[in-house]
Amino acid sequence: IFHYQARDGLGLSGVLMRPLGDSELPAPLILMVHGGPEGHRRDGWLTTYSAPGQLAAARGYAVYYPNYRGSTGRGVAFSKLGQSDAAGAEFDDLVDAVDALVEAGIADREKVGVTGGSYGGYATAWLATRYSDRFRAGVMFVGISNKLSKGMTTDIPVEDIMVHTRFNPYTNWQFSLERSPIFYVEKCRTPLLIAGGTADTRVHPSQSLQLYRALKLIGKTLVRYVRYPGEEHGNRRAAARDDYARRLMRWMDHFVSEGNT
């Protein structure tokens, strides 16, 4: 468990996997952000097809699973800290985690990648646009790019209102726009791999398409969009899971570990 302080003094922690052998520090870092945001990562075997931590550590990466504010596992009050503040202090916590890992001599500031699915995909898109200068690569999976349209296309609109945003999706237009990665898309210079299923009702595929189309039209960074036919909010088929894990690691290897542009 790696502990650190957010910029406002809040104590936070997450699960750190050091690179195999611990021989090369500071190491390239992959920040693996959980979804929800009401979820958390416990110390244990965390590798999945969409967050291949041990696989990355075996390839020389430091891997960090941050439990940012709004996560579960620390009581109801803590899990509510992200309400009504999408992409606010909760995602600043992620940048602060990177800074703490760099200061501790674990992570190489010039070699940082970020990935996550669903709300973690939202975080990935946000960090690749709003904080593009800090991240060498991003892999966004079933993620949110436009808060204006997400609330009106999801299959959980009431949960969105009651648990996450605390307001109806057709109100607070400017706030929602400014908390959308699409708002900062012209700043993006982070190579971004976007992926998701064509049958996703939780985060509609149009969220991926909008970000992909904008980045392609701007033409200032490398972007690729992979669509998995028939998959929903996460891949269920073994072939689709295998394909995604391989693409994720190839993307990180090429842009983060090898430093290609």
Side-chain angles (χ1 to χ4, degrees), residues 117-146:
S118 194
Y119 211 86
Y122 177 31
T124 300
W126 181 261
L127 297 179
T129 54
R130 176 68 175 80
Y131 289 99
S132 183
D133 59 319
R134 301 293 307 273
F135 293 87
R136 290 293 303 246
V139 180
M140 167 185 159
F141 187 48
V142 295
I144 301 160
S145 68
N146 187 336

Side-chain angles (χ1 to χ4, degrees), residues 28 59 61 108 110-113 132 135-138 189-192 220-223 249-261:
R59 295 163 78 108
Y61 293 91
D108 183 339
E110 303 302 319
K111 293 186 175 182
V112 181
S132 183
F135 293 87
R136 290 293 303 246
R189 300 295 183 271
T190 301
L192 189 61
K220 297 295 186 180
T221 192
L222 294 166
V223 60
M249 289 309 308
R250 282 201 301 264
W251 198 264
M252 293 296 178
D253 287 347
H254 185 79
F255 293 110
V256 178
S257 179
E258 299 168 14
N260 294 302
T261 58

Side-chain angles (χ1 to χ4, degrees), residues 93-209:
D93 292 345
L94 305 176
V95 177
D96 294 343
V98 173
D99 286 341
L101 290 162
V102 169
E103 185 177 345
I106 295 167
D108 183 339
R109 183 182 296 275
E110 303 302 319
K111 293 186 175 182
V112 181
V114 58
T115 187
S118 194
Y119 211 86
Y122 177 31
T124 300
W126 181 261
L127 297 179
T129 54
R130 176 68 175 80
Y131 289 99
S132 183
D133 59 319
R134 301 293 307 273
F135 293 87
R136 290 293 303 246
V139 180
M140 167 185 159
F141 187 48
V142 295
I144 301 160
S145 68
N146 187 336
K147 291 290 286 182
L148 288 173
S149 57
K150 190 267 181 180
M152 291 181 282
T153 55
T154 184
D155 64 351
I156 54 165
V158 176
E159 179 184 329
D160 239 14
I161 296 164
M162 296 183 68
V163 180
H164 306 303
T165 63
R166 304 294 292 162
F167 59 80
N168 287 308
Y170 44 83
T171 63
N172 287 2
W173 294 100
Q174 191 62 32
F175 177 84
S176 296
L177 178 60
E178 293 179 6
R179 297 304 175 91
S180 298
I182 203 81
F183 187 71
Y184 302 94
V185 72
E186 289 186 291
K187 296 178 62 174
C188 183
R189 300 295 183 271
T190 301
L192 189 61
L193 173 62
I194 301 169
T198 61
D200 190 353
T201 56
R202 187 62 40 85
V203 177
H204 194 272
S206 60
Q207 293 291 310
S208 294
L209 181 59

